Amino acid sequence: MEKSDIASKGLYFSTVFKVPAPQRFIVLLVLALWIWTWILRFFSHNSLDISQVILTRVPHDIRPGYTLPQLHRTARNFALKITRLIIPFHFITVLLFEYKNVAEAPANNIVLVVFFLPLLQSMIIFWFLLRDCQIINYCVRRCLLIEPSPRSLRNTYILLSDTLTSFAKPLIDFTLFSSLIFKEPFTHFDLSVALFPVLVRLLQCLREYRLLRDKTLLFNALKYSCNLPILFCIWQSRVYEGSINSERLLHAQRWFMLLNSSYTLFWDIRMDWSLDSLSNLRSKSKSVVTLKKNMYHFAIVIDFVLRFWWLWVYLFQGLEFVAPNTDCLFFQGEMQYLEVIRRGIWVIFKLDAEYYTKCVSK
């Protein structure tokens, strides 16, 4: 393939996936809803009733929990409802963004609407989510008071809070652009927002350790702590932008990211998915795994590739179709889409491990 063809292919990807940064957060939320629907369908297809390992109703509700088919149907209907609501807003937002960018002097009210629409959409999504999903409402209100027992309730907490950490980078972009409603962006406020999901999981781990005295939880807390120096380097690189200190901070940031990616990859496979051997997978148990073995191997490879995607971008900067000094290989924001997809894969094998522990290995 000639260089011009490669470059045009990269341009094609950039054009197709060209979504304004604040609107990308909305697209990712909708994508996450559909991934959750697909996950439920996947478990239904593989005859794994994961409704036994997650709590689908609030603890004081005496009604029986949702069955897997009911859970899938409810999730699908909710995703459809949100998608239908967001699609008109999405196209209006994208068109107005394009108009703002090409117009020499766009009207102030147009600019205000452009930055307000993604905020409005996020409010709509979260309002419906908290109104229609009582268990999510319950866990959100008590996110720092995570309850280790029953295990199914803890799993629900973990799924929500860990998924939130995958939205850290989209939250930075969303907050930065949304703050333009107030004319000037809030200085470093976006980093504070990105810090919130990390602190939630960190404090949850510490609370669980205080209740259970399980030292594994301290190592889990350490895993989330690895994000703190990365955010610190980003903050300091903004302060010293353009100076030699900025380059040093960027170099240090990459080392911290390497540590974080390596630690989290190990934790995903060994602790969250309960896999202790690449060949035998769960070698300490005589029971067979619940899914096909090649699924686990595929998930491990994908998790490795996506955990280190930032590294591949850095290493392949010299390629023709990669724009210099960017954080993407194919299109802007690709890492955020890939992280949401990776989180979906993580959820599958996390729930598989919980199902294995509760229903198979005993």
Side-chain angles (χ1 to χ4, degrees):
M1 185 179 290
E2 296 182 358
K3 292 182 179 180
S4 59
D5 294 334
I6 296 175
S8 62
K9 187 175 181 180
L11 180 62
Y12 170 76
F13 275 115
S14 299
T15 303
V16 170
F17 292 95
K18 187 178 181 181
V19 178
Q23 187 63 22
R24 191 184 305 133
F25 176 67
I26 307 302
V27 173
L28 290 170
L29 287 175
V30 176
L31 175 62
L33 292 176
W34 282 107
I35 288 176
W36 173 240
T37 302
W38 178 83
I39 288 171
L40 295 172
R41 183 178 180 182
F42 171 84
F43 280 116
S44 179
H45 178 74
N46 286 276
S47 302
L48 299 181
D49 187 9
I50 52 97
S51 63
Q52 299 182 44
V53 296
I54 55 174
L55 202 65
T56 55
R57 295 194 187 275
V58 294
H60 58 266
D61 195 333
I62 61 173
R63 292 175 297 174
Y66 288 99
T67 62
L68 183 56
Q70 289 174 331
L71 197 58
H72 175 252
R73 184 168 58 252
T74 302
R76 183 177 180 275
N77 291 339
F78 184 80
L80 272 173
K81 178 170 67 174
I82 295 299
T83 303
R84 288 167 180 164
L85 282 170
I86 294 302
I87 282 178
F89 284 106
H90 175 77
F91 284 109
I92 292 172
T93 304
V94 171
L95 288 173
L96 287 178
F97 255 93
E98 287 299 317
Y99 170 76
K100 181 185 75 69
N101 291 334
V102 299
E104 293 184 1
N108 290 335
N109 56 345
I110 294 293
V111 175
L112 181 64
V113 170
V114 162
F115 292 121
F116 180 72
L117 278 176
L119 182 61
L120 176 63
Q121 293 171 74
S122 67
M123 293 169 63
I124 291 173
I125 292 175
F126 286 116
W127 185 80
F128 276 105
L129 197 62
L130 296 176
R131 190 198 68 171
D132 295 356
C133 308
Q134 292 185 5
I135 186 62
I136 293 180
N137 192 331
Y138 176 88
C139 292
V140 167
R141 286 187 287 108
R142 300 172 56 86
C143 63
L144 296 180
L145 302 175
I146 184 171
E147 299 160 79
S149 181
R151 182 78 178 184
S152 57
L153 178 57
R154 179 187 184 272
N155 290 338
T156 306
Y157 274 109
I158 297 302
L159 292 185
L160 290 173
S161 50
D162 266 336
T163 299
L164 185 60
T165 62
S166 292
F167 281 84
K169 182 59 172 70
L171 275 172
I172 290 178
D173 295 340
F174 176 77
T175 306
L176 195 61
F177 277 84
S178 297
S179 65
L180 292 174
I181 296 173
F182 305 97
K183 303 300 182 183
E184 293 292 335
F186 296 150
T187 305
H188 307 309
F189 179 69
D190 55 320
L191 295 181
S192 302
V193 173
L195 184 63
F196 175 74
V198 176
L199 289 180
V200 167
R201 282 301 291 126
L202 178 59
L203 294 175
Q204 284 179 341
C205 291
L206 295 177
R207 171 176 166 78
E208 283 194 286
Y209 172 74
R210 186 172 65 85
L211 295 174
L212 303 176
R213 294 298 171 182
D214 182 356
K215 291 184 179 179
T216 305
L217 294 165
L218 292 180
F219 288 101
N220 199 16
L222 180 62
K223 180 189 72 173
Y224 293 103
S225 300
C226 291
N227 289 281
L228 301 181
I230 297 174
L231 290 172
F232 177 79
C233 287
I234 295 174
W235 170 49
Q236 287 294 295
S237 63
R238 290 180 180 180
V239 174
Y240 297 104
E241 186 176 3
S243 68
I244 190 172
N245 287 333
S246 178
E247 288 296 322
R248 291 172 179 171
L249 286 165
L250 183 59
H251 187 67
Q253 179 185 333
R254 291 195 185 105
W255 280 107
F256 284 125
M257 290 172 68
L258 184 63
L259 172 64
N260 180 60
S261 297
S262 303
Y263 196 164
T264 51
L265 176 67
F266 165 78
W267 199 272
D268 285 348
I269 298 170
R270 180 65 183 87
M271 306 304 295
D272 290 337
W273 298 352
S274 301
L275 304 177
D276 51 34
S277 169
L278 291 178
S279 56
N280 297 322
L281 299 176
R282 294 184 177 120
S283 59
K284 294 181 181 180
S285 174
K286 296 181 180 180
S287 301
V288 295
V289 290
T290 49
L291 299 172
K292 294 179 181 179
K293 283 191 174 183
N294 58 359
M295 290 185 180
Y296 296 94
H297 294 138
F298 175 77
I300 291 171
V301 172
I302 293 297
D303 199 43
F304 168 73
V305 171
L306 298 187
R307 278 288 186 192
F308 288 91
W309 191 263
W310 64 270
L311 182 60
W312 315 137
V313 173
Y314 173 69
L315 294 176
F316 298 151
Q317 281 289 312
L319 296 181
E320 289 293 331
F321 64 88
V322 180
N325 301 319
T326 61
D327 60 352
C328 60
L329 288 179
F330 302 106
F331 59 91
Q332 197 65 36
E334 66 186 13
M335 202 177 301
Q336 299 175 22
Y337 291 99
L338 293 175
E339 171 57 22
V340 172
I341 293 171
R342 188 204 64 79
R343 179 59 64 184
I345 295 172
W346 176 88
V347 168
I348 289 175
F349 292 92
K350 171 64 176 175
L351 291 177
D352 166 73
E354 293 294 333
Y355 181 85
Y356 178 87
T357 301
K358 179 177 181 178
C359 306
V360 178
S361 61
K362 292 182 179 180

